[in-house]
């Protein structure tokens, strides 16, 4: 893996945790995860989130587009949603 791919991993993992918190997937932990996300996002003028977004933008410039999109799909678990196939996805009732 390239340097840019390695640099991309931590910001993607943090983006996933923030998305999961906003989606209510951390409810069992009480409000503590929301406090962590707020602290990470709003604690100062130059937040960790801004730095992570900048790192992801730099990696987007350095990596081939398909590598970046494929890794983001994997991290967020979206591979099945973006597949091109002739048959519709199997439903839970089949």
């Amino acid at each position: 893996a390239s340097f840019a791919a390695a640099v991309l991993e931590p910001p993607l993992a943090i983006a996933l945790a923030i998305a999961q918190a906003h989606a209510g997937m951390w409810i069992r932990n009480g409000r503590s995860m929301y406090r962590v996300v707020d602290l990470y996002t709003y604690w100062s003028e130059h937040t960790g989130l801004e730095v992570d977004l900048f790192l992801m933008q730099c990696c987007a410039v350095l990596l081939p587009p398909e590598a970046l999109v494929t890794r983001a799909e994997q991290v967020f678990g979206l591979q099945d949603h973006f597949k091109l196939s002739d048959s519709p996805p199997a439903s839970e009732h089949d």
Side-chain angles (χ1 to χ4, degrees):
S2 70
F3 176 74
V7 169
L8 180 65
E9 288 300 314
L12 271 180
I14 292 169
L16 175 63
I18 290 171
Q20 288 175 340
H22 286 297
M25 297 173 75
W26 290 85
I27 292 284
R28 296 182 95 180
N29 292 344
R31 301 283 308 159
S32 63
M33 187 61 177
Y34 294 112
R35 283 188 227 117
V36 170
V37 169
D38 285 345
L39 179 67
Y40 184 76
T41 307
Y42 303 112
W43 67 276
S44 76
E45 184 178 321
H46 301 289
T47 66
L49 181 62
E50 289 176 353
V51 173
D52 284 344
L53 290 173
F54 176 72
L55 282 173
M56 286 190 276
Q57 289 172 339
C58 291
C59 292
V61 170
L62 297 172
L63 289 171
E66 62 276 356
L68 177 69
V69 172
T70 301
R71 187 61 194 136
E73 285 177 352
Q74 291 169 346
V75 168
F76 283 89
L78 299 173
Q79 305 93 312
D80 294 335
H81 299 283
F82 293 109
K83 282 186 180 175
L84 297 175
S85 66
D86 295 334
S87 60
S91 68
E92 294 177 14
H93 304 291
D94 289 343

